[in-house]
Amino acid sequence: MPSLHQINHPHKLAQALPLMQAEDAIVLLEQGVNLLQQPIQLTQPLYALKKDCQARAITPHATCTLIDHAQWVALTLEYDRVCSW
């Protein structure tokens, strides 16, 4: 059952990773986008809210896809579960 993991703070990724499956995906939002200031090695698709990155002057690396709020909502409908961390 694929899940969408929403990470809103950098330290919460470490809590979520042990529970993630290969078919899951990750959305970084709020302070969670600060994780993009360093390289992240993930096998799951990685997304970040564009507005949150812009507000913090963060340019994500190539492995991250920037999304707007409408795309975020669409992602929540693609996955069986949404887990907020």
Side-chain angles (χ1 to χ4, degrees):
M1 181 185 304
S3 299
L4 180 65
H5 296 268
Q6 302 178 147
I7 309 293
N8 70 359
H9 197 277
H11 76 275
K12 294 183 180 180
L13 180 62
Q15 295 172 342
L17 281 175
L19 303 174
M20 288 187 193
Q21 303 295 317
E23 67 273 7
D24 293 351
I26 301 167
V27 175
L28 301 176
L29 54 129
E30 300 170 357
Q31 292 182 27
V33 300
N34 289 322
L35 287 164
L36 298 173
Q37 293 178 320
Q38 57 196 6
I40 302 175
Q41 298 295 326
L42 298 169
T43 57
Q44 295 85 1
L46 179 63
Y47 303 92
L49 284 181
K50 185 176 183 176
K51 292 275 184 187
D52 290 340
C53 288
Q54 289 173 335
R56 291 162 180 82
I58 293 173
T59 303
H61 39 78
T63 60
C64 180
T65 302
L66 290 178
I67 58 173
D68 61 24
H69 284 91
Q71 291 167 308
W72 179 23
V73 171
L75 275 175
T76 65
L77 298 173
E78 288 181 31
Y79 289 85
D80 295 327
R81 293 184 302 181
V82 176
C83 305
S84 296
W85 297 86

